[in-house]
Every structure is written in C-alpha cells, then in structure tokens.
Amino acid sequence: MFRHYFQIAWRNLLKRKFYTLINVAGLAIGMTCCVLISVYLYHENSYDRYHTKRDRLYRVVQTFRTSEPGATMVAPTPQDYQVWGCAPVGPALQADFPEIEKVVQFMSPNGMLLQQGDKRVQQDNLLFMDSTAFDVFSWKMIYGDPHTALTAPFSIVLTKSVAQKFFGNSNPVGQALRVNNEANIMVTGVMEDLPPNSQFTFNGLISMTTMHKYREEIFGWWGYVDFYTYLLLKENTDIKSLQAKADDFVRRHNATDRGYSIKFEKMTDAYLHSQATRQPGPTGSMLNVYLFLCIAIFIMLIACINFMNLSTARSLERAREVGVRKVLGVRPKSLMWQFLFESILLSLAAAIIAMALAKPGIALIEELSGKEIAYVNFFNPWIFVAMVVFAVVVGLGAGIYPAWFLSGFRAITVLKGKFNPASGNISLRKVLVVFQFTLSIALIAGTIIVFNQLKFLNRQDLGFQKEQMVVINFEGDGKVQNNIESIKKAIADQPGVISVAASRAVPGEFLPNAYTGVQATDGQMSFRGPLIYEIDFDFIPVYHIPLVAGRPYSRSYLTDSAQGMVINEAAAKLYGYSNPADAVGKKFDQWGRKGTIIGVVKDFNFRSLHQAVEPLTLRYGYPDNLARISVTIKGDNIPATLAHIRTTWDKMAPQRPFMYHFLDESFGAQYEADQHFGQLFTFFSCLAIIIACLGLLGLSTFMAQQRVKEIGVRKVLGSSVSGIVVLLSKDFIKLVLVAIVIAVPLCTWAMNEWLKDFAYRISIGPIVFFEAGIITVAVALLTIAWQSVKAARANPVQSLRNE
C-alpha cells in the first residue's frame, strides 16, 4: 500500500515541479528556522545546568533597604533583592542549618597585573573564592588537587587559556606569578575553561584566605557588601522549610538592621528567571525566549498555511483524479491517506534540507547572537528520530485539511463537469492568507520598533561627555596612585589632549552603595544607601556634567577634599529635597567622612538606559582609591595622540602596561545583548516574510493560470496590461490591508511588553505600522508583479483558441 502511495505521490510531485519546489522550500526554511531557534533556546535554558549537583545548588539573595525610624517596613519585592551581599551570612547559615552541606563564597571580580618572567598580562575577572568551590561546582581540574588548591593563602587556580599565556601547555603547578608588582602568588591548579552556558565568567580563582590576610575585618561586617554566597544542600532537603526559617535567622544575627532580609534562589534559575540585581555574570531574558518561541511557531504556521493554500487552490487539478478513483471503488479514507502521505513526503524532504542547512545556520546564529552555542551533534540518533517525528507532525498538520477537502469531492459532480472548487474553499484561503500576513506584518513592525529603540538608546543625551574620551585603566596601581597628579599633568601636556581627570570608576562600570546620612528637612540625619563615585577635582568639568545648584569640587577650597560632597538630583530627592538648591549646605556623614553638601549635579545616565537614574554621591577620592584616568582628546589625529599618551605613560609608569579603551565603546557594550537580539529578530522576521512571499508567489501564479481565458477576453476587449495587473493584484492587496489592521493591536501589546525592560523608551506610534504596511504591500506587489505582468502580456490567441 505504501509503495502504491509513494508511486502516485512521486508522479504528482514531479508533474507539478514549480509548486512542489515552493512547498518544499517554504517548509524547509520554516523547519530550519525552528531547528535554529530550538538550538538557541536550548542553549539559553541550559545555563549552569552542567553542574552535577545542580538540583541542590542555591544562592543567597539579600536586601539592604533603609527607612526612617518608626516607619513601617513593607515586604521586599523581587527587585529589592540583590545577589551581591555580605560575608557573615554564609558561615552563619552553615552553623545554624544542618541541612546545608557546603557553603562557597566569592567576591566581586578584580583585574590584576600578572607577571611571569618577562611576560606581563593585565588579567581581568579574577575572583577571591572559598576552598569549597570545587566540592560545590562541577569545574574540571586539569592540574592540581581540587580539594586543596584554594586552601593556602596566596594560591591561585588559572583557567586553561590564561595558564597557556604564561606557561604554554606545561604543568604550571608550583610556579609563582608576580601580582601587581607587589607580591608572589603560587599556581596550585589549572582548570578547564568555563563552558559557554555558564553565568560565571572568571579567568582565575584566588584563595579566599588571601583576602583574609589583607582585610580580615570585612568578614564579620553585616553591612559590608562585596560577596556572593552559594549553598549546596544535603540530599532530600526541602528549600521551602529552609526559607521558612530565614526571618528568624536574620533576627538572631542582624536584628538591628530592619531593612536586611534574605531568601534562597535556585542556581539554575539565575540566568533566565532571577529578578535580583547585582548579578555575578550575564543574564538572559525570559521574555526574549518567549518571543523567539512565538517566532518559531509563527514561521511554521506560515509555511503550513502556504501548503494548505496551494493544495486547496489546486483542487480542480486533482478533482477528476479523485472522481475517477472513487468510481473505481477507492474509499474516501484511502484517498485521504494518499494526500496525507504526499504532504508527509514533502515534509520529510524539507526536513532533510533543514538538517543540511542547520549546521552552517548555527554558525550564523552564533555571530548574530554574539554567543558561543554548545556543540550540537545532528547525527545523534535521538535528534534524527526527533526530526523525523517533527517532519511527520508538520506534514500531518499542513496536509490534514487539504486531504480532507480533496477526498470529500463527490465523484458524480466532478465527472459531470459541474464541480467548482473555488466556491468551497475561497473563504478559508483568504482567512489563511490574512493570518500569515498578520504574523508577517507583526514581525516587520516588531523589527522596526526594536531598531527604533536601539537608535533611541544610541542618540539619547546621557548628560555627560563620552565621545573622544579615552579611559586608562591602571587598576589601583600604588605607584600610579602616589604619582597621580604628575602623571595627569604629563598626559595633559601632550598634543591632542584637551583635559584629564581621575576616578575610581567611570560611567558604565560597577558602582558600590555607600551607607550615607544626610541632614533631612526636619534637621535630623537620614541614612540611605545611594551609589558612590570617588572622583578628583577635575572629574565633573572634564565630563561636562552640569550643576543645578552649588558648585563642584575646587582646589581653591581647602576643605572640599575632606569635608565636601556633591550629589545628583535623584539623591537630593531621596533625602526629601525636591528643590536641589535646598540640599546645598546640609550636613552629610559617609564612610567616616563628615561635612556639608557643596553642590548638586544634574541627573546623568551613568548606567544603562534600562535603568532610571539612581541616587548618586560624587565623593572626593583620595589617590589611594583611584583606578582610572579619563582623557578627553581631539578628534583630528587620534592615533598620534594615543601614541603620545602611550610614550608618556611608559615613561611615568613603566611598571604598568598601557591599558585603555574608549568610553563610548565600553558604555555602548551595555546594549550589546539588545543589539544581538535586534539582529536575531530581524533575521528570523526576514525569513518569515520570504516564506510568506513564496506562498503568495505560488498562489498568484496558480490564480493567474486559472484566469488565463478571462485575461484573454479582457485583452481582446481592450484592457491594458496595467489594468490586468491591477485586476490580479487587488484581491491580494485587500487581504494584506486587512492583515495590517489585525496586526496593529497584536504587535503593540507584544512590543510594549519588551519595551518595559527599558526605563527610557520610545512610544509606539502609528508611523511604525504605516512603515510596516508600506513594506509589506511593496513586497507583496513585487512578489505577484512578475507573474501578473507575464499573464497580462500573454498572447490572447493562445488562451482563446480552444474556446
């Protein structure tokens, strides 16, 4: 029976090569998209799942909120929690709860100058971490003992790629590295590089006992925030029972801080599902996952609709075949299976093509997404079986209605020549065309909105100068700090340099919170936790940050460096001053320094535009707290200016490599994930349009063939080519216009959800849908124009000679 089905299907497919090609091409592109999106979504959902003990891995998220005395403290929201917390919480949890098997803590990443012999590398992303790290996390050690590698002070475990920079492929365990030109540290292990689906991004681990040697006091401070705490629970531990005890735990250990609370978050939820701030690594977006999942479904629906439309539109060609076979005794059920077999055969052919395209397609997805996708073995038997099942399901889904429709023809009506297929399926066909173009228009409009938002981000006035700003990163080098003013002056004297400033951090970089008291409107000190920049006298004027009240730091006032402080407008509002000028002259108390507020700067976007401007204090930073030098340069000869700065730097700070970046590039890197999302969205949207146009091409070609005699009569009666083209096109254009109307609310809702992730965003206006409609109508006209013109210019004698 299947052999018989195959022979008939094969003959029919070869007989109508053009329509077969369109159907296979549409299904193949759709399946390829689904495979690529599935691989991408699998990668997004696989973060941190390589740990063998992942089901027992949790992390502690903490809140550090402030409130006025006597005020009611409401329950924290998910956004109030942050992963970045204090050190004492880890040992205290282990001591109080026997359900916890291991605790591992690590600090914020550091950049350090590593040297071995004559090799010097400024290495970023080095973490101070507990010795229990390799007992908790599934990181593979190449050299060294994972259980003891991080036990001794001044020991370091390098990743494979970093170890190769200094030692090649040899075993470096027992070798020493010079750190920051100050102390030696012993290499006690080399581990495999982290997999691409890891939220951790470090390049090396330094034993936490090393930090104990430098700053033992911070490990007992509940208010000092610079640690990440992860827990490994014992088997069969219910995290809910542990969470139920969290409030009592906090009251026992930190009762005086009403704003402090903790909760536990599953580690495998960290990348996609966490709403906590201050993450230790990159995070994804569950909304983006849903959007791409919807795109995959949309694309397959469009491909299947193409198949259904062409199959039902060509019903007249198969009607006599159905009538003859029914007269010969073939049952409708067998006919239905015959047509389903044809659609499954087409789907399997498309699946083969999709598998062939998937491998190079993944490389393209990696480039568009900016992510290294974990290797996928398409020759895996399970993947092969899954693809066959997928192809069969698609074939059944696309072919079920055409099979039912074609097998339902009445034999006597067909053979008498009274059968009119259009009357039975034209309404459904129009609905399907409207549906697929609704999806296509929504994707086009979504693409326009994404790129309008990205353009808005790039053009938004941030409130400070970031163009032609070179940032030199010296990572707190002591010799540079001790000679900072001389180095700044030497750089400022170079040709092409406009101005120079120093700071602990620059816009776009990580900032700590500072427990800060400011005299409130009632005269009492109000303590809050704004962010903090430590800057020198020149930072505010060099960055062109405007003041709205008071003045900036000045060398003319001897007390500014010890008793002055500048805040932003948001900080003034935090302490109750809606008029910034009212905050000037008020007392402050911050990190052991007391004095008065001397100025208020206008709010500037020192962070990504995903976030609203937060309260900020700009504190004068003593040289031993500075780590960056900002240099404003002219734009006429940048390479020569950089060469002059490098020469000066090598002379003034020979112990430190000249490491620099342009601020606009580093600040823009915050939107890299958004840029990649826009590229992926555009890519798949374009493919969806291509598939829809393939269907439109096939449908318009068939309709032109069906109306060939009508076109001939019209030409004989004097119709012009343009008039006939309009005749053949207007029905399709009407459907596209209906699709535009339906797509507007659908797209508006979906993209407004996406835009909620930005504190500063565009509004979705009608112009977006006008542009999307123009694009869609133009694409549709181009698609059907060739066939319409061809039909209109045909010789009417050829079409009418048999009448």
Side-chain angles (χ1 to χ4, degrees), residues 666-802:
S666 62
F667 197 88
Q670 298 179 106
Y671 308 116
E672 187 176 350
D674 300 312
Q675 297 285 354
H676 288 307
F677 170 79
Q679 292 172 352
L680 282 173
F681 197 97
T682 302
F683 174 69
F684 288 116
S685 297
C686 289
L687 290 181
I689 298 301
I690 290 172
I691 297 171
C693 288
L694 281 174
L696 194 60
L697 175 63
L699 203 56
S700 62
T701 301
F702 180 79
M703 297 306 291
Q705 291 175 352
Q706 291 296 103
R707 302 177 70 172
V708 66
K709 290 183 173 59
E710 176 190 347
I711 294 170
V713 171
R714 288 180 179 274
K715 288 199 71 175
V716 169
L717 296 177
S719 292
S720 64
V721 172
S722 59
I724 294 174
V725 170
V726 171
L727 174 71
L728 294 175
S729 304
K730 66 178 182 180
D731 289 339
F732 291 111
I733 299 305
K734 287 178 182 177
L735 298 180
V736 172
L737 293 175
V738 172
I740 292 173
V741 174
I742 299 173
V744 169
L746 173 68
C747 184
T748 300
W749 171 80
M751 297 314 296
N752 271 326
E753 290 298 310
W754 181 73
L755 288 170
K756 285 180 180 178
D757 193 38
F758 299 88
Y760 302 88
R761 53 183 180 262
I762 62 171
S763 57
I764 302 176
I767 188 66
V768 171
F769 298 101
F770 178 77
E771 292 173 350
I774 292 295
I775 293 172
T776 307
V777 170
V779 170
L781 283 173
L782 288 174
T783 302
I784 61 180
W786 171 73
Q787 187 59 43
S788 299
V789 171
K790 180 181 175 182
R793 297 183 64 182
N795 188 346
V797 175
Q798 299 296 322
S799 59
L800 297 176
R801 61 184 178 180
N802 294 324

Side-chain angles (χ1 to χ4, degrees), residues 22 53 77 90 93 159 182 197 219 222 263 267 283 300 303 341 390 417 434 450 466 555 558 576 578 740 749 788:
I22 286 180
K53 302 172 184 176
T77 66
L93 283 168
T159 59
E182 295 174 353
N197 55 348
F219 292 90
W222 286 86
K263 71 175 183 177
M267 185 177 173
T283 57
M300 278 315 305
F341 188 84
F390 177 55
V434 168
V450 168
K466 63 182 176 70
R555 292 180 176 87
L558 298 179
S578 56
I740 292 173
W749 171 80
S788 299

Side-chain angles (χ1 to χ4, degrees), residues 210-226:
T210 308
M211 181 55 66
H212 278 273
K213 291 290 184 181
Y214 288 109
R215 302 190 65 186
E216 180 65 35
E217 71 280 0
I218 65 176
F219 292 90
W221 292 352
W222 286 86
Y224 183 85
V225 179
D226 198 18

Side-chain angles (χ1 to χ4, degrees), residues 496-512:
V497 174
I498 299 173
S499 57
V500 184
S503 59
R504 182 178 178 179
V506 295
E509 292 185 337
F510 183 84
L511 294 178

Side-chain angles (χ1 to χ4, degrees), residues 314-326:
R314 290 172 48 239
S315 56
L316 183 60
E317 297 181 9
R318 306 294 297 271
R320 290 187 178 86
E321 173 193 344
V322 171
V324 170
R325 294 180 68 187
K326 280 192 171 184

